[in-house]
Amino acid sequence: MHRNGADFLDSRGQTAAQITTLLKNDWEAARAIYRRSLQVSRHDLVRHYRDHPTRRGGDHIGWAAHPLLRDAEPLILTSNQTVIGKTRVALDPELGLIYERIE
């Protein structure tokens, strides 16, 4: 997901309100999110999300309630990138997720 100010945007730049207000029985929206998700095994990202899980009950309460997404963690990108710990994560349209170690 991309953050633009206070709004979340999907990959096409459209406001994605349904992402944060996902209902437990909204299988269509959950499948759309799941289809665009990827599994990340980068050790420092996995450790970060294990040690600092998304606050359920905040922005992503719907994810916790839905069976398809309850174990997923959103990766919030601003300008197609974010920094988690000492790793910069960027989304490239051709290469996918790119990791850069920051010293």
Side-chain angles (χ1 to χ4, degrees):
M1 283 188 289
H2 303 276
R3 184 183 290 271
N4 180 14
D7 293 328
F8 290 102
L9 306 175
D10 65 14
S11 61
R12 294 173 302 279
Q14 299 172 352
T15 301
Q18 74 274 9
I19 290 175
T20 59
T21 58
L22 184 66
L23 300 175
K24 187 176 182 176
N25 61 353
D26 191 349
W27 283 93
E28 184 179 336
R31 284 188 189 109
I33 294 167
Y34 188 77
R35 276 193 302 271
R36 301 201 48 88
S37 67
L38 23 117
Q39 185 174 359
V40 176
S41 58
R42 177 79 177 205
H43 68 279
D44 39 356
L45 269 66
V46 172
R47 185 178 325 119
H48 170 81
Y49 281 109
R50 183 193 66 220
D51 295 343
H52 305 95
T54 302
R55 263 190 39 237
R56 304 302 183 180
D59 289 337
H60 305 287
I61 189 170
W63 288 40
H66 201 282
L68 190 59
L69 300 173
R70 71 173 140 230
D71 294 322
E73 290 287 345
L75 178 63
I76 308 297
L77 303 175
T78 303
S79 300
N80 284 338
Q81 65 180 350
T82 191
V83 175
I84 297 177
K86 293 184 177 182
T87 302
R88 181 186 326 275
V89 183
L91 181 61
D92 182 273
E94 293 181 22
L95 301 174
L97 283 181
I98 299 172
Y99 308 103
E100 177 187 354
R101 189 78 174 154
I102 302 171
E103 294 302 324

